[in-house]
Amino acid sequence: MHSGTKYFGGHSDLLCGVLAIAPRRAEKWLVQLQMERVFLGSVMGSMEGWLGIRSLRTLELRVRKQSADAENLVRWLEAERKREGSVVYDTVAEIKHASLQVDSDGKELGWLKKQMPNGFGPVFAIYMNDQGYARKLPSKLGLFHHATSLGGVESLIEWRSMTDDGVDKRLLRLSIGVEGWEDLRDDLVQGFEALLKEKTNTAPSV
């Protein structure tokens, strides 16, 4: 079962779901599923079907680019997070992405690369140094949209605490679109700089 609304659709303009059946189970399940479709009416509209076909034509191009750009951003963020004096060092506490997973000896996980040979996915998370930074960063960005979704051609950022009270309030989720990763990097930099400038301007004078 897949959410066709996300990467299959890829343009944030259709709602659909996909149920795929393994060939070994088709004979047993297919007739029953077809009957349920007849009586329940769960048939995609013609417009959604057309939008879905349009989107599938660029699925590989989109997801490969989104994954590669996400990995570039993650590696840049991780390097800057460790560089004392950088705006990332001063604002970001941790980055979570499959490409950063290592074993206990600090070596890359070979099985993970085999499992995901064409990229590690366009979604990753960052933990800011404090809750205030996480809450304010989305409003400081120009290319990222503050929204709860993923898989579209536009890059999104979400302060997860707005929709889930149970998560760490420093958590931000990013879904990378098809913009140039360097442009997204620069957008994040100016956002981090804006946070630090705001903190400096609001700090009590001694």
Side-chain angles (χ1 to χ4, degrees):
M1 186 177 293
H2 302 275
S3 171
T5 303
K6 306 303 183 187
Y7 288 102
F8 286 2
H11 294 76
S12 306
D13 58 6
L14 75 101
L15 295 174
C16 78
V18 177
L19 180 62
I21 305 172
R24 67 181 184 278
R25 293 177 176 167
E27 184 176 349
K28 180 179 179 181
W29 289 6
L30 192 56
V31 173
Q32 181 62 35
L33 288 170
Q34 287 174 332
M35 291 295 292
E36 289 183 5
R37 186 179 68 177
V38 169
F39 290 108
L40 298 178
S42 53
V43 179
M44 186 185 297
S46 56
M47 174 59 78
E48 287 75 17
W50 178 82
L51 290 171
I53 292 173
R54 168 217 59 182
S55 299
L56 287 175
R57 289 169 177 158
T58 60
L59 175 63
E60 183 176 1
L61 297 174
R62 287 185 284 106
V63 177
R64 280 183 182 270
K65 174 175 170 51
Q66 289 169 290
S67 296
D69 285 355
E71 189 171 348
N72 284 331
L73 269 176
V74 164
R75 294 200 181 283
W76 169 77
L77 281 166
E78 182 67 4
E80 289 295 294
R81 187 183 66 82
K82 298 175 181 178
R83 186 171 68 85
E84 189 171 354
S86 74
V87 291
V88 181
Y89 178 90
D90 292 333
T91 53
V92 177
E94 188 177 5
I95 302 132
K96 294 286 190 180
H97 188 243
S99 66
L100 297 179
Q101 293 186 73
V102 294
D103 62 20
S104 58
D105 296 323
K107 298 179 181 178
E108 290 188 357
L109 300 174
W111 64 266
L112 185 61
K113 188 69 175 177
K114 290 180 180 179
Q115 187 182 71
M116 308 174 78
N118 298 316
F120 294 99
V123 178
F124 63 93
I126 60 176
Y127 289 85
M128 304 299 287
N129 283 338
D130 66 52
Q131 175 184 335
Y133 285 165
R135 178 172 56 84
K136 294 177 181 179
L137 180 61
S139 65
K140 307 295 184 187
L141 303 176
L143 294 180
F144 287 87
H145 301 274
H146 192 189
T148 303
S149 190
L150 55 93
V153 293
E154 64 284 331
S155 291
L156 306 178
I157 186 169
E158 179 194 17
W159 182 40
R160 288 296 294 168
S161 186
M162 287 186 66
T163 54
D164 187 348
D165 291 336
V167 303
D168 190 320
K169 295 187 182 302
R170 300 172 302 139
L171 174 64
L172 290 164
R173 185 181 74 176
L174 292 84
S175 172
I176 304 305
V178 298
E179 307 91 345
W181 83 268
E182 297 93 341
D183 294 329
L184 297 175
R185 175 200 62 197
D186 294 346
D187 194 28
L188 288 171
V189 167
Q190 68 81 27
F192 296 145
E193 290 174 342
L195 291 175
L196 295 174
K197 182 178 180 180
E198 186 175 278
K199 182 178 181 180
T200 300
N201 291 340
T202 57
S205 57
V206 178

